[in-house]
């Protein structure tokens, strides 16, 4: 793979192999890196371009996208700063890799879902939509946000020990209040993704972000 420019985040970019496919911004969970979600990205968005940054915060050696005080208690100042950095990265990467406007869809897992929510709520123009896997409420917006019917899919686990069902409902309500086109899917699972999540994500991507139909994952 040719050397990739430093756009403020260590990252990996894979160009699209299918015309009309979206570009997916892959945002890993705590302890992941820029390679972690690449197989998932290929499964849910065949032929899509993949843009995958590595979170720059280290928690006991594990990469994350922003600091937290404890599990589920976020450092809001750091979250805001890191979200701005990610928005700048998205802008620069879009120019560097010729990602067309309106083609970038976030797909975040856990900590990556949380910064994806923060990104789209703070910078609605940065993303065409967001797939939030096992996401939490990153912050409650104090001002009205208009996501202009952007699709948002929440993939949540009924038995998730980290994200409670009330929090997921609150997150869905935040996006509904922001005029997003919200799909909330409850999977019989915990925090770990299951095959049902992958199939839901695939169908949602195909419905909203592809021109032609793509083959189902095995
Ligand atoms: C977070 O810190 O973003 C959430 O608690 C998810 C996690 O990374 O465990």
């Amino acid at each position: 793979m040719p050397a990739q420019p430093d756009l403020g985040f260590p990252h990996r970019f894979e160009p699209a192999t299918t015309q009309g496919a979206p570009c997916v911004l892959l945002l890993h969970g705590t302890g992941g890196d820029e390679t972690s979600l690449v197989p998932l990205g290929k499964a849910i968005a065949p032929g899509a371009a993949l843009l995958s940054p590595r979170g720059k915060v280290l928690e006991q050696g594990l990469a994350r996208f922003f600091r937290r005080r404890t599990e589920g208690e976020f450092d809001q100042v750091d979250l805001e700063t890191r979200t701005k950095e990610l928005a700048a990265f998205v802008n620069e990467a879009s120019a560097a890799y010729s990602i067309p406007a309106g083609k970038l869809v976030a797909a975040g897992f856990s900590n990556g879902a949380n910064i994806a929510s923060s990104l789209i709520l703070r910078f609605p123009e940065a993303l065409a939509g967001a797939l939030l896997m096992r996401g939490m409420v990153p912050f409650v917006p104090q001002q009205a946000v208009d996501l202009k019917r952007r699709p948002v899919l929440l993939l949540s686990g009924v038995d998730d020990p980290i994200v409670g069902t009330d929090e997921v409902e609150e997150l869905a309500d935040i996006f509904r209040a922001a005029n997003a086109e919200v799909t909330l899917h409850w999977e019989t699972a915990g925090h770990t993704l299951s095959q049902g999540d992958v199939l839901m994500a695939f169908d949602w991507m195909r419905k909203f972000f592809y021109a032609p139909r793509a083959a189902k994952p095995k």
Side-chain angles (χ1 to χ4, degrees):
M1 196 181 292
Q4 306 204 320
D6 178 5
L7 306 171
F9 278 78
H11 67 279
R12 175 166 170 164
F13 176 74
E14 295 198 10
T17 55
T18 300
Q19 226 185 355
C23 178
V24 183
L25 175 68
L26 296 170
L27 299 165
H28 63 79
T30 301
D33 66 20
E34 66 274 32
T35 66
S36 307
L37 294 186
V38 169
L40 178 70
K42 290 185 178 183
I44 64 175
L50 302 175
L51 176 63
S52 186
R54 187 195 319 155
K56 293 190 289 185
V57 168
L58 284 181
E59 185 186 86
Q60 293 173 349
L62 303 179
R64 291 174 49 84
F65 285 96
F66 58 88
R67 289 183 211 289
R68 63 180 164 183
R69 300 187 197 291
T70 58
E71 178 73 62
E73 195 194 324
F74 303 146
D75 177 334
Q76 290 296 333
V77 174
D78 192 63
L79 174 58
E80 186 171 356
T81 305
R82 303 289 176 180
T83 305
K84 284 181 185 159
E85 286 180 3
L86 186 61
F89 167 76
V90 161
N91 266 337
E92 289 186 34
S94 297
Y97 299 122
S98 305
I99 300 166
K103 275 280 182 192
L104 190 65
V105 184
F109 170 67
S110 193
N111 180 246
N114 299 339
I115 196 143
S117 289
S118 179
L119 180 64
I120 198 168
L121 290 169
R122 287 187 159 104
F123 299 94
E125 300 306 323
L127 295 171
L131 161 58
L132 307 171
M133 298 171 276
R134 307 299 189 264
M136 305 168 86
V137 174
F139 66 96
V140 177
Q142 297 303 304
Q143 289 161 355
V145 178
D146 189 2
L147 293 178
K148 298 189 167 50
R149 308 297 307 161
R150 280 177 174 69
V152 172
L153 171 61
L154 277 66
L155 292 180
S156 299
V158 282
D159 298 317
D160 191 331
I162 296 176
V163 192
T165 52
D166 287 357
E167 179 152 13
V168 173
E169 295 291 354
E170 187 185 351
L171 183 61
D173 283 344
I174 288 172
F175 282 110
R176 287 187 193 109
N179 297 316
E181 183 154 351
V182 176
T183 309
L184 169 54
H185 171 76
W186 289 104
E187 187 68 17
T188 308
H191 202 65
T192 305
L193 297 179
S194 70
Q195 186 63 10
D197 291 300
V198 177
L199 293 173
M200 272 301 296
F202 176 89
D203 285 344
W204 178 81
M205 283 280 180
R206 188 179 54 188
K207 176 174 174 190
F208 289 106
F209 302 107
Y210 277 79
R213 284 178 75 85
K216 278 221 171 215
K218 295 192 184 84

